[in-house]
């Protein structure tokens, strides 16, 4: 039997990958590991808490257990970062504004973390995979002061670490420090994330496309051309591609990362800028996609080069296997 590498061990072994190898980033990753284990445990009990314990009225009295899982996840991650001392502030999907931590040790923190605590919320109640997406940047404001909006509004090219945790049939943590992509699966029997997918590469091409096709008549002509191409025998496989749409970005992305495929959330009439958020959904997954050999664009522009203007800014999103994204962009150009 080959030797198991735990995530903790892997982080220590690869600490030199970080541009500033002082151990702080390793500690932030460790905070993420702890919070994601808490969230994973809570996700696994979702049906029980909502429908069994809740129905007996015992959880209601406590209040906290009744909170929606995405608030539970948000709090678990914020608490981990606030107590860790390496992070001066965070931005999250669940908070209108960013949070600058007040303690002296936090003000000395050199990093900010942007995250989507639970992605795919509409899937929580139906027992379908959901996830957490995160992105770490070095602050641009002076150390020793409170975090600022500028710390949060950095282009994706400045990411130091990005990753996601997928609460699927198993819980998996996937991340990059700009030196390839590695994935770790949580072994519940020992409570450790173990290296299961070293140096992941996204297949250059694929035959899976993921888009909410309910929007097909709400999007631009060029995208309909691309979807027609996917469904025809004119593509490189000579057979129609398969449509696969989970409705949790993180799960759709993860499948495409392993099997090859494209994920599309375009600008549509009801969401003229697209639906997905640049800072804590698109950028982290774009960094991972590129590190694995894939692409991430708005259909016209590289995601990582966009200069963010707002915390919850949305963008159209095309990510996945390199040749598929290139073909989609070609169709958009007409
Ligand atoms: P969130 O649950 O964090 O708000 O994100 C939901 C996102 C994403 O995960 C998913 O791909 C997309 O919304 C699904 O949107 P549609 O229901 O419009 O297809
Ligand atoms: Mn999301
Ligand atoms: Mn969310």
């Amino acid at each position: 039997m080959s030797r198991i590498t735990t995530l903790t061990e892997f982080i220590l072994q690869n600490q030199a990958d970080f541009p500033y190898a002082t151990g702080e980033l390793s500690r932030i990753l460790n905070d993420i590991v702890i919070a994601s284990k808490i969230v994973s445990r809570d996700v696994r009990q979702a049906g029980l808490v909502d429908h069994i314990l809740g129905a007996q009225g015992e959880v209601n009295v406590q209040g906290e257990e009744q909170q929606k899982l995405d608030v539970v996840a948000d709090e678990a991650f914020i608490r981990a970062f606030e107590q860790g001392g390496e992070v001066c502030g965070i931005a999250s999907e669940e908070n209108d504004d960013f949070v600058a931590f007040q303690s002296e040790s936090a003000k000395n923190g050199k990093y900010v973390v942007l995250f989507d605590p639970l992605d795919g919320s509409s899937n929580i109640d139906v027992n379908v995979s959901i996830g957490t997406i995160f992105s770490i940047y070095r602050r641009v404001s002076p150390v020793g002061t409170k975090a600022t909006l500028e710390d949060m509004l950095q282009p994706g090219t400045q990411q130091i670490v990005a990753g996601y945790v997928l609460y699927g049939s198993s819980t998996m943590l996937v991340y990059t420090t700009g030196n390839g992509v590695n994935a770790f699966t949580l072994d519940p029997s020992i409570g450790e994330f173990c290296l299961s997918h070293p140096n992941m590469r996204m297949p250059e091409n694929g035959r899976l496309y993921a888009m909410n096709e309910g929007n097909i008549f709400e999007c631009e002509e060029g995208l309909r051309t691309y979807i027609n191409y996917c469904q025809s025998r004119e593509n490189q496989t000579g057979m129609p591609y398969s449509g696969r749409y989970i409705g949790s970005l993180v799960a759709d992305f993860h499948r495409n990362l392993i099997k090859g495929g494209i994920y599309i959330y375009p600008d549509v009439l009801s969401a003229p800028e697209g639906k997905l958020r640049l800072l804590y959904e698109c950028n982290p997954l774009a960094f991972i996609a590129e590190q694995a050999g894939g692409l991430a664009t708005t259909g016209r522009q590289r995601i990582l080069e966009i200069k963010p203007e707002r915390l919850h800014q949305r963008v159209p999103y095309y990510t996945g296997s390199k040749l598929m994204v290139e073909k989609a962009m070609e169709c958009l150009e007409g």
Side-chain angles (χ1 to χ4, degrees):
M1 197 178 96
S2 58
R3 193 172 175 279
I4 293 171
T5 303
T6 66
L7 176 54
T8 317
E9 201 179 333
F10 186 89
I11 292 170
L12 286 174
Q13 278 169 11
N14 293 279
Q15 192 156 295
D17 278 3
F18 294 126
Y20 318 92
T22 56
E24 289 153 304
L25 277 167
S26 300
R27 285 197 286 278
I28 299 175
L29 273 173
N30 208 44
D31 296 338
I32 291 172
V33 166
I34 291 168
S36 62
K37 283 182 187 171
I38 292 171
V39 173
S40 180
R41 179 201 62 199
D42 290 348
V43 165
R44 304 284 170 228
Q45 293 187 338
L48 293 170
V49 171
D50 283 341
H51 300 301
I52 300 178
L53 297 180
Q56 290 176 7
E58 289 172 9
V59 176
N60 262 338
V61 188
Q62 299 300 321
E64 285 172 73
E65 284 96 330
Q66 280 294 306
Q67 287 173 322
K68 278 275 180 228
L69 262 180
D70 35 18
V71 178
V72 170
D74 191 44
E75 287 174 352
F77 279 93
I78 292 180
R79 211 177 305 128
F81 296 133
E82 191 164 21
Q83 290 169 358
E86 267 69 50
V87 174
C88 61
I90 61 100
S92 149
E93 185 200 328
E94 299 302 328
N95 299 280
D96 289 348
D97 209 351
F98 70 95
V99 180
F101 295 144
Q102 300 296 331
S103 75
E104 285 311 310
S105 68
K107 285 182 197 160
N108 286 320
K110 298 192 187 76
Y111 297 94
V112 293
V113 187
L114 286 69
F115 58 97
D116 178 353
L118 264 198
D119 173 67
S121 305
S122 66
N123 281 323
I124 295 174
D125 293 341
V126 291
N127 209 350
V128 169
S129 299
I130 49 183
T132 299
I133 312 175
F134 61 89
S135 180
I136 306 177
Y137 293 82
R138 203 169 160 89
R139 71 188 299 176
V140 291
S141 59
V143 173
T145 62
K146 281 198 285 182
T148 65
L149 183 59
E150 283 64 44
D151 294 326
M152 311 293 163
L153 298 183
Q154 300 187 55
T157 47
Q158 296 302 109
Q159 289 172 100
I160 305 279
V161 183
Y164 60 84
V165 185
L166 178 62
Y167 313 103
S169 44
S170 54
T171 295
M172 194 179 266
L173 192 151
V174 182
Y175 81 100
T176 182
T177 58
N179 204 354
V181 179
N182 292 284
F184 301 80
T185 303
L186 181 63
D187 181 339
S189 67
I190 56 172
E192 292 275 5
F193 283 101
C194 301
L195 180 62
S196 53
H197 298 62
N199 194 21
M200 295 176 91
R201 302 300 299 167
M202 187 180 266
E204 195 178 40
N205 216 338
R207 48 175 315 280
L208 300 174
Y209 72 98
M211 177 190 158
N212 180 346
E213 284 187 79
N215 289 326
I216 196 73
F217 296 111
E218 304 275 305
C219 62
E220 62 186 295
E221 183 65 36
L223 178 52
R224 278 196 289 279
T225 308
Y226 178 67
I227 297 297
N228 282 337
Y229 167 85
C230 292
Q231 295 170 341
S232 75
R233 290 175 174 251
E234 307 305 313
N235 58 55
Q236 95 284 352
T237 62
M239 289 291 288
Y241 294 164
S242 292
R244 292 281 184 279
Y245 190 70
I246 296 168
S248 292
L249 166 66
V250 69
D252 279 307
F253 179 88
H254 184 73
R255 181 202 55 240
N256 291 348
L257 174 60
I258 291 177
K259 295 194 168 179
I262 186 170
Y263 176 94
I264 301 171
Y265 210 111
D267 47 317
V268 288
L269 287 179
S270 57
E273 300 186 313
K275 177 180 183 185
L276 299 176
R277 275 64 50 112
L278 173 62
L279 291 181
Y280 43 79
E281 292 178 318
C282 302
N283 267 336
L285 298 184
F287 190 18
I288 292 174
E290 288 195 4
Q291 281 294 314
L295 285 180
T297 76
T298 61
R300 295 180 164 83
Q301 184 191 3
R302 184 179 173 218
I303 289 290
L304 294 180
E305 285 174 3
I306 299 172
K307 173 76 186 90
E309 286 165 5
R310 283 165 286 118
L311 222 42
H312 302 287
Q313 181 173 341
R314 297 168 194 267
V315 287
Y317 201 41
Y318 290 69
T319 187
S321 293
K322 182 170 177 288
L323 297 178
M324 297 180 88
V325 176
E326 281 171 357
K327 179 67 186 176
M329 290 173 76
E330 193 186 304
C331 292
L332 292 183
E333 251 174 45

